[in-house]
Amino acid sequence: MATPIGNLGDITLRALDCLAGVDLIACEDTRVTAKLLGRYGITTQTTAYHDHNAAKVRPGLLRRLGAGLRVALVSDAGTPLVNDPGYKLVREAVAAGISVTALPGPSAVLAALSLAAVPTDRFLFAGFLPPKGEGRRKVLAELARVPASLIFFEGVSRVADAVADMAQVLGGERSAAVARELTKLHEEVRRGTLADLAASYVDTDDPRGEVVIVVGPPVEAAATEADIDVALRTALATMSVREAADAVAGATGAPRRAVYARALALKGDGR
Ligand code: SAM
């Protein structure tokens, strides 16, 4: 069994049981995991599994898993595989018919989304943006029209530049939040429009710690009366007045009663 689990301070009881019960723990950094295991008196053997040794270590882990040993995978903080090692191990374990399960735990992605005060029904986690301005703005332009909240990891020294580029490329009016040091002593969430946030980082020292940036969905421009008329005429060609009013009110966000009245007028005029 390969078990990806989180390893932040907010560890679950189930994860502790798992760590105590498996045959081996593959850790991003054995020293970091040793502190966690020490705190809970867990003596399970550990081995390092990180970006620099993964290709070499993976076959041995898969051999042990194939022989029926249970291996837990942990990262230094948050959820393994989320911008952390583990995806290839899981992929190859699954391909080899080894049972894999996940023990849900903390992740900076969902913690930041929970606190950002932006819509949460649709979101896109975009990982780290390119570090240089030109590359960053190109990726932001690709994401600008995605109808969802966007979540980015960012190096703390680049937050000011990243938020300024977001205001420029995604639109300064979009709601956003910069969530820093989540679950830690100095947790801070700065909320506002992207323009507000960009202004708040001008001429200030770089913040410290780890940061997630969350941006709310694109702000739709309010439909004009002319837009509504065009949409209604198209809809009325194939729909009843009631259906056309429902469809156009839903698509534009305009009040249904007003759209219905306008649909009736257009139909009556034969326009
Ligand atoms: N796997 C981890 C997770 O699920 O949270 C993420 C690992 S990724 C290599 C590290 C990035 O996650 C940091 O650069 C930062 O953007 C974000 N991050 C991790 N911990 C954080 C925290 N406590 N507060 C804010 N951001 C955090």
Side-chain angles (χ1 to χ4, degrees), residues 8 28 75 77-84 106-109 128 152-155 179-184 210-212:
L8 216 63
E28 201 182 352
S75 51
T79 300
L81 280 77
V82 179
N83 270 111
D84 268 339
S107 173
V109 177
F128 285 96
F152 303 93
F153 283 165
E154 193 48 277
R180 193 172 67 82
E181 291 292 89
L182 291 165
T183 75
K184 302 185 195 172
E210 298 193 278
V211 162
V212 180

Side-chain angles (χ1 to χ4, degrees), residues 2-240:
T3 306
I5 60 172
N7 187 10
L8 216 63
D10 310 79
I11 190 104
T12 65
L13 296 175
R14 191 166 164 232
L16 290 174
D17 275 353
C18 169
L19 292 173
V22 293
D23 299 294
L24 180 67
I25 302 171
C27 336
E28 201 182 352
D29 184 332
T30 52
R31 292 160 305 180
V32 172
T33 302
K35 285 188 202 151
L36 173 79
L37 301 182
R39 195 193 299 170
Y40 293 102
I42 295 170
T43 55
T44 307
Q45 188 194 341
T46 61
T47 190
Y49 184 78
H50 48 67
D51 284 340
H52 305 292
N53 74 355
K56 218 162 109 194
V57 170
R58 200 157 49 243
L61 290 178
L62 289 164
R63 247 193 324 277
R64 293 199 229 188
L65 287 162
L69 294 187
R70 291 158 308 157
V71 178
L73 173 70
V74 303
S75 51
D76 288 350
T79 300
L81 280 77
V82 179
N83 270 111
D84 268 339
Y87 146 66
K88 288 183 181 162
L89 181 60
V90 169
R91 183 183 61 181
E92 289 176 30
V94 169
I98 294 160
S99 156
V100 183
T101 188
L103 275 63
S107 173
V109 177
L110 292 184
L113 181 65
S114 309
L115 296 176
V118 301
T120 54
D121 52 333
R122 271 182 128 194
F123 59 90
L124 186 149
F125 169 56
F128 285 96
L129 286 165
K132 298 221 170 94
E134 196 180 331
R136 182 166 54 223
R137 288 190 290 276
K138 187 163 173 277
V139 174
L140 288 171
E142 289 165 11
L143 296 171
R145 294 179 65 88
V146 173
S149 293
L150 305 174
I151 306 176
F152 303 93
F153 283 165
E154 193 48 277
V156 77
S157 62
R158 284 193 285 270
V159 170
D161 289 343
V163 172
D165 281 347
M166 287 175 190
Q168 185 192 324
V169 180
L170 301 179
E173 71 288 358
R174 285 172 74 162
S175 299
V178 178
R180 193 172 67 82
E181 291 292 89
L182 291 165
T183 75
K184 302 185 195 172
L185 184 62
H186 298 293
E187 177 174 297
E188 176 199 65
V189 184
R190 219 182 263 204
R191 302 180 185 86
T193 63
L194 277 172
D196 293 339
L197 288 172
S200 79
Y201 286 106
V202 172
D203 293 334
T204 57
D205 291 340
D206 282 340
R208 288 166 188 267
E210 298 193 278
V211 162
V212 180
I213 305 173
V214 184
V215 182
V219 180
E220 296 297 335
T224 62
E225 284 180 10
D227 294 334
I228 291 172
D229 278 7
V230 169
L232 277 175
R233 282 197 188 94
T234 309
L236 284 168
T238 55
M239 296 179 192
S240 68

